[in-house]
Amino acid sequence: MRDTFQLSSSIMTFFQLTHMNVHAFEGAGTMLTLHAPHLIPERLNQEAFPILIQAVHQQPSLCHFWHYDQIVYMAAAYDEDKVIIAGPFLTQLPHEKVGSIDEQTLRNLPILNQATQQSTARLLMHLNKMDAVTISSIEATESLSSKSIASEEEANTAIINLRYKISNDMMHAIEAGDSETIKTINKKTGNLFDFSSRFPNKPLRAVKNSLIILNTMFRLAAERGGVPPILLHRLSEKFAISIEKINSLHSLNQLQETMGIEYCQLVHTNQISGYSMLIKEAVRYLYSHFTEPFDAVAIADELSVHPSHLARQFKKETGFTMGQFVHRLRIQKAKRLLKKDLASIEQITGECGFEDAAYFIRVFKKFTGMPPGKWRSQESD
């Protein structure tokens, strides 16, 4: 009886704090109890519940989220043989019917930003540890003092300072191409950069705005790391388009985790900060024109330098001849096209600046150890 009472009490506590539907299941999937005032289509529950119950059984130490468009359920283990599922909730204010839920029900569902989702997950993971408490009431004897207000301002200032410090740490890591530090920072920051309170009922817009700012910061850091402008433009534009196209908080959070890593990889692969001014200009030129016919004399003329001097200095600083460097850039582009497109080898040959397919295949095999067709099939496996 006590276990049943404690389970029911825990469910009511969770509902009163979150206003979500809450269901409790035993290990075999049989429903034990619930508090579910929101009328959710049974089809939606039947799709979410088995998946979440199985996920909890497989990884009971985690809180699991199930996403369907803007609708989300969450689930966690209550004890060894019970699972609690809460939801659905929304990640933003809906503009139309979602998942066959009627308009009135949609308006009543809670909207949780990223920080609130994480806090709610903590609550769900610890429901079985919640015991009844004895409450003591203390009446105020005087108004808030200026000292308490000053303490609150100091606490806010400390958070702001911490955010700026972590932002600087991230930018330094990207400038150095240090993806491991970026991964560590991402794990530790948690809710620190959640600004969704600035846009009530629009957490999606808040996250997008934060990512736009982050994309700009990372671009500047990678530029300081010596990445040529044309590559910075390509990557930052790619993320700018992705940020606006994605309409899921879950996917945006994943994008945030990968942005810093991709900028680090870009710096690590393409940094030119250690080169002389002449070779920096040569590298920038080659990045912008590598799909055009290669002409070492024309490049030297463009940079107002003797071709022999440019060739010697380029080899000395980069370790490649200019011709090898151009081939390297062309093969990198070919790999990108082979991964994402179903274009023929002949089409890719032309797009990457090679004059004929046979020569392209020879160069590709020299760099990768296999012809492009085999490389594409291995990458798609």
Side-chain angles (χ1 to χ4, degrees), residues 212-230:
I212 290 169
I213 294 169
L214 206 60
N215 189 26
T216 303
M217 288 171 50
F218 288 173
R219 187 187 189 284
L220 293 172
E223 184 177 20
R224 291 206 302 263
V227 177
I230 186 65

Side-chain angles (χ1 to χ4, degrees), residues 244-288:
E244 290 305 328
K245 285 177 65 176
I246 293 173
N247 286 313
S248 157
L249 276 178
H250 176 64
S251 298
L252 284 173
N253 293 335
Q254 289 182 323
L255 180 66
Q256 178 175 340
E257 292 176 4
T258 60
M259 274 175 58
I261 294 171
E262 287 201 33
Y263 271 104
C264 283
Q265 290 171 343
L266 186 71
V267 171
H268 184 74
T269 306
N270 301 289
Q271 61 186 170
I272 59 174
S273 55
Y275 298 159
S276 66
M277 186 58 67
L278 170 63
I279 302 308
K280 283 181 181 179
E281 291 301 318
V283 168
R284 290 191 181 106
Y285 184 89
L286 291 176
Y287 269 111
S288 299

Side-chain angles (χ1 to χ4, degrees), residues 355-366:
E355 293 183 2
D356 64 80
Y359 182 55
F360 163 60
I361 292 170
R362 286 201 304 275
V363 175
F364 191 95
K365 189 173 182 179
K366 180 179 179 181

Side-chain angles (χ1 to χ4, degrees), residues 136-150:
S136 168
S137 299
I138 302 172
E139 297 294 334
T141 56
E142 59 182 44
S143 60
L144 287 174
S145 67
S146 59
K147 182 177 180 181
S148 65
I149 295 172

Side-chain angles (χ1 to χ4, degrees), residues 125-272:
M125 290 291 290
H126 296 90
L127 268 187
N128 67 333
K129 299 180 178 65
M130 292 180 133
D131 292 324
V133 298
T134 302
I135 296 174
S136 168
S137 299
I138 302 172
E139 297 294 334
T141 56
E142 59 182 44
S143 60
L144 287 174
S145 67
S146 59
K147 182 177 180 181
S148 65
I149 295 172
S151 297
E152 184 177 339
E153 289 178 349
E154 287 176 10
N156 288 335
T157 301
I159 291 175
I160 291 169
N161 289 339
L162 181 58
R163 283 173 176 161
Y164 274 96
K165 179 184 182 303
I166 291 175
S167 296
N168 286 331
D169 289 345
M170 294 173 79
M171 292 186 73
H172 288 317
I174 289 171
E175 186 177 346
D178 185 357
S179 57
E180 291 304 314
T181 296
I182 286 292
K183 291 177 186 177
T184 301
I185 292 173
N186 282 336
K187 288 179 182 178
K188 290 182 177 179
T189 50
N191 305 340
L192 193 62
F193 289 92
D194 186 275
F195 300 106
S196 52
S197 59
R198 296 177 181 176
F199 294 82
N201 293 333
K202 293 183 179 179
L204 195 70
R205 185 67 261 166
V207 174
K208 286 188 176 188
N209 289 354
S210 296
L211 288 180
I212 290 169
I213 294 169
L214 206 60
N215 189 26
T216 303
M217 288 171 50
F218 288 173
R219 187 187 189 284
L220 293 172
E223 184 177 20
R224 291 206 302 263
V227 177
I230 186 65
L231 297 184
L232 291 172
H233 171 73
R234 288 173 187 164
L235 188 60
S236 64
E237 185 175 48
K238 166 191 158 183
F239 285 132
I241 293 170
S242 296
I243 289 166
E244 290 305 328
K245 285 177 65 176
I246 293 173
N247 286 313
S248 157
L249 276 178
H250 176 64
S251 298
L252 284 173
N253 293 335
Q254 289 182 323
L255 180 66
Q256 178 175 340
E257 292 176 4
T258 60
M259 274 175 58
I261 294 171
E262 287 201 33
Y263 271 104
C264 283
Q265 290 171 343
L266 186 71
V267 171
H268 184 74
T269 306
N270 301 289
Q271 61 186 170
I272 59 174

